[in-house]
Amino acid sequence: MDTTNGDYIVVKAKEQGVQVIGLTRGLDTKFHHTEKLDRGEVLIAQFTDHTSAIKIRGKATVMTKYGSVDTDN
């Protein structure tokens, strides 16, 4: 996969302390990066050769090229 063409997501925190966690590719999926967002902060994340999934904890809006979704809490 060419990392310059990986899909992006936008995460907008709706409360303090929203966690965005990057998970690795491969046989063993592991956490490899964590960010903590405060209310109103926005993070733009990209899927890459190393990131196969992104987990979000807390109230947030996630925007992708496929649409938007709000997390339930």
Side-chain angles (χ1 to χ4, degrees):
M1 178 176 172
D2 179 2
T3 57
T4 59
N5 292 324
D7 283 341
Y8 288 86
I9 66 166
V10 176
V11 180
K12 183 174 182 182
K14 293 176 143 184
E15 67 181 2
Q16 294 292 106
V18 171
Q19 289 184 312
V20 182
I21 305 162
L23 297 135
T24 60
R25 289 189 186 280
L27 298 176
D28 296 323
T29 301
K30 299 177 184 174
F31 296 152
H32 75 81
H33 188 82
T34 301
E35 290 289 333
K36 192 175 241 184
L37 302 178
D38 290 331
R39 183 182 180 97
E41 286 187 323
V42 173
L43 176 72
I44 301 170
Q46 181 182 31
F47 292 95
T48 67
D49 290 340
H50 300 290
T51 304
S52 64
I54 298 171
K55 181 176 182 173
I56 299 164
R57 289 185 179 149
K59 288 187 179 182
T61 299
V62 182
M63 295 161 264
T64 74
K65 68 181 181 181
Y66 303 103
S68 295
V69 64
D70 291 324
T71 61
D72 291 333
N73 206 10

